[in-house]
Amino acid sequence: MKTEYIIGILKNVSIFNQLDDENLELLSKKFVFQKIPKDTVIFKENDLGNQMFVIISGVVEVFKEYRKKRKTLALLKRNDFFGEISVFTSLPRTASVQTLSNSEIIVLDQSDLINIIKNNYKFSLNLIKVLSERLINANAEIQSLTFKNVQGRAATQILLLANKFGYKTKQGILLEIKTPHKLLAEIVGIQRETMTRILSQFKEEDIIETYSKHLIIKDIEKLVNYTFK
């Protein structure tokens, strides 16, 4: 893959977009390109790891499993990155990651990332900012799980998905990724049957509709109102 293309990708990745062109060019040469088929586990929780990943195309799921139950922590797409925690801490992976579609990624080794941190203070400051934002989002997720009812939690997660994967159509805001009931249940952290009942309720209230496993938000104001419950 051409260096210029990788530089163009990195300029849109939050963790790297403060680097100047010279450092971007040096760093781009360290990345390794990979094509990964759909439903491939990139790594599992508790695996040892010394690489971080940037998504060029496709969608990946970050999740945890406990006693045969699965909780989706995040869905990531183009320009998102993952795997950085083990790189920074040298601890095992804190979650598992699997592709939900055929994906293209670029991979950076720990030594190359640490070298950038040591030699570029702007990158280090931006890194702190980006990771702090992730911590804030994680705290908001905990608050949602703790204080909202199941409809409020479902509404919150659907809105977050819309913010990341949605685009406007004549019918409403369409999520560009397929969101079967099982996946939505894992994102919200509830049983699939409960998720199905909530979606049926939202459909009856004309808040959403579904089309070929894609979700369309028809009344975003009503959905927002549920987030306060």
Side-chain angles (χ1 to χ4, degrees):
M1 179 167 288
K2 291 184 178 180
T3 299
E4 294 82 3
Y5 182 76
I6 295 179
I7 291 174
I9 293 292
L10 296 180
K11 284 183 176 181
N12 292 299
V13 178
S14 59
I15 197 173
F16 298 117
N17 61 12
Q18 296 299 311
L19 290 172
D20 58 32
D21 289 344
E22 181 180 355
N23 279 295
L24 280 173
E25 183 175 359
L26 291 172
L27 186 62
S28 66
K29 295 175 181 177
K30 305 293 185 181
F31 277 94
V32 177
F33 174 77
Q34 293 183 4
K35 284 188 175 182
I36 304 179
K38 179 182 177 181
D39 297 327
T40 299
V41 176
I42 298 175
F43 56 74
K44 292 184 177 181
E45 184 178 1
N46 295 321
D47 283 351
L48 296 177
N50 60 357
Q51 295 175 319
M52 71 165 291
F53 307 81
V54 175
I55 303 171
I56 295 177
S57 67
V59 178
V60 307
E61 176 189 14
V62 183
F63 65 93
K64 294 178 77 74
E65 290 181 309
Y66 180 70
R67 293 182 178 177
K68 297 184 179 181
K69 292 183 179 180
R70 181 160 168 157
K71 173 68 172 76
T72 300
L73 303 179
L75 298 181
L76 305 177
K77 64 175 185 176
R78 179 181 174 89
N79 299 330
D80 287 331
F81 63 93
F82 60 94
E84 76 286 350
I85 293 176
S86 290
V87 170
F88 296 143
T89 64
S90 297
L91 295 173
R93 301 293 189 186
T94 58
S96 303
V97 175
Q98 178 175 338
T99 56
L100 295 183
S101 65
N102 294 332
S103 301
E104 295 179 331
I105 63 173
I106 49 178
V107 185
L108 184 67
D109 284 337
Q110 181 183 46
S111 57
D112 296 315
L113 183 60
I114 296 301
N115 188 53
I116 284 285
I117 294 172
K118 288 180 178 178
N119 295 295
N120 193 302
Y121 78 93
K122 286 186 178 180
F123 175 81
S124 300
L125 290 174
N126 188 53
L127 173 63
I128 292 170
K129 175 179 177 290
V130 171
L131 296 183
S132 296
E133 289 172 352
R134 286 197 168 188
L135 180 59
I136 291 170
N137 291 336
N139 288 337
E141 168 79 3
I142 293 170
Q143 181 177 348
S144 175
L145 289 171
T146 304
F147 298 109
K148 294 180 181 179
N149 62 24
V150 288
Q151 289 89 347
R153 286 159 55 189
T156 297
Q157 293 301 325
I158 291 171
L159 288 168
L160 289 173
L161 288 173
N163 184 56
K164 191 175 186 69
F165 296 101
Y167 62 93
K168 290 183 178 180
T169 67
K170 291 181 179 179
Q171 292 75 31
I173 299 175
L174 172 66
L175 300 191
E176 61 180 336
I177 60 168
K178 290 184 177 182
T179 51
H181 293 191
K182 181 177 182 294
L183 177 60
L184 285 172
E186 291 168 355
I187 292 171
V188 179
I190 57 179
Q191 296 293 325
R192 178 177 178 175
E193 294 78 9
T194 304
M195 189 72 240
T196 298
R197 287 196 298 270
I198 292 171
L199 292 176
S200 296
Q201 178 184 343
F202 287 171
K203 286 180 182 179
E204 290 173 3
E205 297 180 24
D206 208 31
I207 296 173
I208 66 167
E209 66 179 60
T210 56
Y211 175 75
S212 298
K213 296 184 179 180
H214 289 272
L215 197 67
I216 302 173
I217 302 173
K218 299 174 64 178
D219 193 328
I220 196 164
E221 185 176 345
K222 284 184 180 179
L223 193 61
V224 169
N225 286 339
Y226 265 104
T227 66
F228 297 104
K229 297 180 179 180

